[in-house]
């Protein structure tokens, strides 16, 4: 029986690359979406071509009850859950003194609260096999406590995600569940692309980000937990 993986926000972009890479490795996968139904179906069909089961599930994961319902739906339809990749996370570039309370809540909800809701709901299933894997998608440089006045709520949420991941990793280690963070820098689908600030002089491919997630998901990575890998070409060091 195949292991089951859920990747949030996997209809397109980084999430899509991750869910397809997992399907290629033989995982049954759940493609999660909120509004991109057509793209989610296309991704689901592509995943299925690797000979695995693939479903698509709609949910607004910033709402606790919908996040819990998403986990329940995946377990019911695919028979369990061993891998959770928390990829959903809105981005906002705006001077902090111009950010509205609604925008603040949206960024914190999608980047920090949603992973918390989903992971808490998934823990009973992740712990059952002694193998569970949680990979959270962060942001390169979020561990550096620097002023970032144009993306403040985003960086606050991603820094919080690192602390949450490390704390949870310590708690879950005795159960064989690992929690790690893959932190992208500037990728090929990024909103802004300051190529001149990247030491390697190029953007990260989505496949490179997916490979970093696969590294943490592998069976022989079971002793690695609470770690942050930045896929950023030297950016934000």
């Amino acid at each position: 029986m195949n292991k089951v993986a859920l990747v949030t926000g996997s209809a397109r972009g980084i999430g899509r690359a991750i869910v397809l890479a997992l399907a290629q490795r033989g995982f049954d996968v759940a493609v999660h979406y909120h509004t991109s139904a057509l793209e989610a179906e296309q991704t689901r069909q592509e995943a299925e071509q690797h000979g695995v089961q693939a479903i698509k599930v709609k949910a607004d994961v910033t709402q606790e009850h919908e996040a819990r319902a998403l986990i329940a739906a995946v377990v019911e339809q695919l028979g369990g859950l061993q891998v959770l990749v928390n990829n959903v996370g809105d981005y906002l570039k705006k001077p902090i003194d111009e950010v509205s309370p609604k925008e603040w809540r949206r960024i914190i909800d999608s980047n920090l609260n949603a992973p918390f809701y989903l992971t808490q709901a998934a823990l009973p299933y992740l712990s059952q096999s002694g193998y569970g894997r949680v990979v959270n998608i962060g942001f390169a440089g979020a561990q550096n406590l620097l002023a970032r006045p144009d993306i403040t709520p985003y960086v606050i949420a991603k820094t919080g995600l690192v602390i949450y991941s490390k704390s949870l990793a310590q708690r879950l280690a005795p159960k064989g569940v690992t929690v790690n963070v893959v932190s992208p820098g500037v990728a090929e689908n990024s909103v802004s692309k300051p190529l001149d600030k990247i030491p390697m002089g190029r953007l990260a491919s989505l496949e490179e980000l997916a490979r970093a997630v696969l590294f943490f998901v592998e069976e022989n990575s079971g002793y690695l937990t609470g770690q942050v890998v930045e896929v950023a070409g030297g950016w934000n060091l």
Side-chain angles (χ1 to χ4, degrees):
M1 187 174 180
N2 292 342
K3 292 184 174 67
V4 176
L6 164 63
V7 182
T8 64
S10 48
R12 57 188 178 184
I14 294 174
R16 176 181 178 277
I18 294 169
V19 84
L20 292 178
L22 286 164
Q24 192 171 18
R25 289 292 182 94
F27 286 84
D28 291 335
V29 295
V31 178
H32 160 257
Y33 71 101
H34 183 204
T35 59
S36 305
L38 179 59
E39 291 164 303
E41 176 58 22
Q42 292 171 341
T43 300
R44 187 200 68 77
Q45 290 180 16
E46 190 170 345
E48 213 169 41
Q49 291 173 10
H50 294 291
V52 300
Q53 291 188 74
I55 63 171
K56 73 176 193 292
V57 190
K58 178 180 180 179
D60 177 359
V61 293
T62 67
Q63 303 298 313
E64 182 185 359
H65 67 283
E66 291 200 33
R68 288 189 172 276
L70 171 61
I71 298 297
V74 172
V75 171
E76 180 181 0
Q77 294 181 53
L78 294 177
L81 181 63
Q82 286 78 41
V83 175
L84 171 63
V85 181
N86 287 306
N87 168 67
V88 162
D90 291 344
Y91 179 79
L92 177 69
K93 186 173 184 180
K94 192 174 187 179
I96 183 57
D97 52 312
E98 298 176 10
V99 173
S100 70
K102 183 178 180 180
E103 290 170 327
W104 176 276
R105 287 191 296 269
R106 174 172 63 86
I107 299 303
I108 300 297
D109 280 345
S110 64
N111 287 283
L112 184 56
N113 291 339
F116 172 76
Y117 298 149
L118 288 156
T119 307
Q120 296 296 98
L123 287 182
Y125 308 105
L126 296 172
S127 303
Q128 284 175 359
S129 65
Y131 161 82
R133 300 283 190 267
V134 179
V135 182
N136 293 319
I137 303 302
F139 169 71
Q143 295 186 98
N144 304 328
L145 298 183
L146 302 172
R148 298 186 186 276
D150 289 333
I151 55 171
T152 301
Y154 182 75
V155 174
I156 286 174
K158 292 301 190 184
T159 300
L161 188 63
V162 170
I163 296 170
Y164 171 63
S165 300
K166 288 177 175 287
S167 301
L168 195 61
Q170 194 175 71
R171 288 287 296 172
L172 298 182
K175 299 180 180 181
V177 178
T178 68
V179 185
N180 293 289
V181 181
V182 170
S183 292
V186 186
E188 59 189 14
N189 67 332
S190 295
V191 175
S192 58
K193 299 175 180 177
L195 198 60
D196 59 318
K197 296 182 180 179
I198 303 172
M200 283 195 176
R202 67 174 180 85
L203 308 176
S205 71
L206 301 185
E207 288 71 25
E208 285 174 313
L209 296 168
R211 283 197 296 271
V213 173
L214 289 178
F215 171 71
F216 282 130
V217 167
E218 289 177 353
E219 287 271 9
N220 59 9
S221 295
Y223 203 64
L224 297 172
T225 195
Q227 301 305 302
V228 180
V229 168
E230 296 192 350
V231 185
W235 181 67
N236 267 357
L237 290 176

